[in-house]
Amino acid sequence: MKPPHSYSIADLAKHISAKIIGNDKIIITHVAPIQRAKTGDLTFLMGNAYRRYLSDTKASAVILSQADADACAVTALVVKNPEYAFARIAHLFNTAKKPIIGIHPTAVIAKTAHIDSSASIGAHCVIGENVAIGANTILHAGVIISDDVKIGSDCQLYSNITLYHQVTLGNRVILHSGVVIGSDGFGLAHNEGVWEKIPQLGSVSIADDVEIGANTCVDRGALENTMIETGVKIDNLVQIAHNVVIGEHSVIAGCTAIAGSTTIGRHCMIGGSTNIGGHLTICDGTIFTGGAMVTKSIKEPGIYSSGTGLFPNKVWRNVVAKLRRSVITDH
């Protein structure tokens, strides 16, 4: 069987502006990890952890940096950033089929909605009043779009996503299954033992080139919008509370929770299971390692951590006991 995609090494090198060292007539049919690649595969090398596989990889070619080129026994594509170059090439081998343009007969669409003729609306989608959906945007089955939502061009919304009223998406936004955008923020006022709900009158604004992972929730603002700026990438199972602002090109790993009215700067990297308190400001270029507990604003960029790495339970109990004694002694 002929592979669904095949490319000459020369064409791939041109695609990523790489220098070829070796046979420029090779045909590549698949991409694969360096330790499991075989003939016909293209792989890449990034970082010391996988360098030991370079000398005996079975791949037909490897994307790598100039520093590793001499150690490569097969054809090499030399670039400055091998991981980025590999990501660009991997798109060429994506076998996911695009849905057919048009509206599925089971979709329920308000008469006031405007859907570009090049868009694809899947089975059992529900689209509310005054919704606008741009060119080449794809809604997979079961997407729910409430009233007055604006969706830009070239977006992809996977199955079972819900966008509440007045949410705005820019262009090239990707939302994975189970995402909920614009649900009410956790706003409550306390009076004599009773909690009164504070109406959440803002919405959510998501800029261009944002990707949000499966089952992530982004709450609408209380008075102003929750804001996700250009190029932000958010992993699965993340909670973004009301009035949070996430700056351009920041990345947030899975199971992170960000409390209300916190501002995350640009180009930040937030590790998995990080918990960030409310009403904080995190400056541009901040990195939180996984499991960090952030309780105060960060004014200087850098790498921040909290908690401890894993210990056997008995060792951990001893460490905690010593820490407590140290704190009591200091006070």
Side-chain angles (χ1 to χ4, degrees):
M1 178 182 292
K2 183 180 178 180
H5 302 288
S6 61
Y7 299 92
S8 71
I9 203 72
D11 287 341
L12 294 178
K14 184 177 180 181
H15 186 68
I16 58 174
S17 301
K19 180 177 72 173
I20 301 173
I21 300 178
N23 185 356
D24 62 358
K25 301 295 192 293
I26 291 172
I27 299 298
I28 298 297
T29 57
H30 297 90
V31 291
I34 191 169
Q35 69 273 33
R36 290 192 289 275
K38 55 186 183 299
T39 301
D41 291 347
L42 174 69
T43 189
F44 78 105
L45 174 65
M46 186 69 182
N48 295 328
Y50 293 92
R51 189 168 284 111
R52 66 184 186 274
Y53 299 112
L54 181 60
S55 61
D56 59 359
T57 183
K58 301 300 187 294
S60 291
V62 182
I63 303 171
L64 39 62
S65 66
Q66 185 64 56
D68 295 308
D70 290 343
C72 184
V74 298
T75 295
L77 297 182
V78 179
V79 296
K80 289 183 178 180
N81 186 335
E83 185 176 33
Y84 176 71
F86 182 79
R88 291 193 62 211
I89 282 178
H91 284 291
L92 302 176
F93 291 88
N94 189 347
T95 58
K97 295 180 179 179
K98 289 188 176 182
I100 297 172
I101 292 171
I103 299 172
H104 194 277
T106 61
V108 178
I109 301 174
K111 292 181 179 180
T112 55
H114 179 270
I115 300 171
D116 190 273
S117 60
S118 63
S120 174
I121 309 300
H124 303 292
C125 289
V126 178
I127 298 175
E129 302 285 351
N130 302 311
V131 169
I133 297 176
N136 304 310
T137 283
I138 298 169
L139 273 58
H140 293 262
V143 173
I144 309 298
I145 308 294
S146 299
D147 296 345
D148 302 307
V149 169
K150 310 299 180 188
I151 301 175
S153 301
D154 299 297
C155 296
Q156 183 147 207
L157 279 62
Y158 287 93
S159 298
N160 302 317
I161 286 167
T162 300
L163 303 187
Y164 282 57
H165 59 286
Q166 298 176 342
V167 165
T168 300
L169 306 185
N171 301 316
R172 299 173 301 281
V173 172
I174 301 172
L175 304 180
H176 291 274
S177 293
V179 163
V180 177
I181 307 292
S183 53
D184 279 357
F186 197 54
L188 302 167
H190 187 261
N191 183 52
E192 297 180 353
V194 176
W195 293 101
E196 176 72 19
K197 179 181 177 66
I198 300 172
Q200 303 294 285
L201 304 179
S203 190
V204 179
S205 178
I206 296 177
D208 296 345
D209 300 305
V210 169
E211 183 167 359
I212 299 179
N215 295 318
T216 284
C217 296
V218 182
D219 290 346
R220 68 192 312 105
L223 296 175
E224 298 179 324
N225 289 348
T226 302
M227 305 283 291
I228 312 295
E229 296 182 353
T230 301
V232 168
K233 312 298 182 185
I234 301 174
D235 199 0
N236 304 333
L237 297 167
V238 172
Q239 164 63 22
I240 308 294
H242 58 185
N243 296 109
V244 166
V245 176
I246 302 177
E248 295 179 356
H249 303 291
S250 288
V251 293
I252 302 173
C255 299
T256 289
I258 304 175
S261 299
T262 283
T263 296
I264 307 294
R266 298 172 297 174
H267 301 282
C268 293
M269 299 174 64
I270 299 175
S273 298
T274 293
N275 293 303
I276 302 176
H279 301 274
L280 304 180
T281 299
I282 309 302
C283 70
D284 297 349
T286 296
I287 299 173
F288 296 134
T289 59
M293 176 69 74
V294 185
T295 59
K296 62 181 181 179
S297 294
I298 303 296
K299 299 179 181 179
E300 296 290 335
I303 302 174
Y304 295 84
S305 304
S306 65
T308 63
L310 191 69
F311 293 103
N313 181 259
K314 185 176 180 180
V315 176
W316 177 80
R317 290 167 66 90
N318 287 334
V319 169
V320 171
K322 291 177 180 178
L323 179 61
R324 285 175 175 168
R325 286 195 295 272
S326 175
V327 171
I328 292 171
T329 301
D330 290 344
H331 284 76

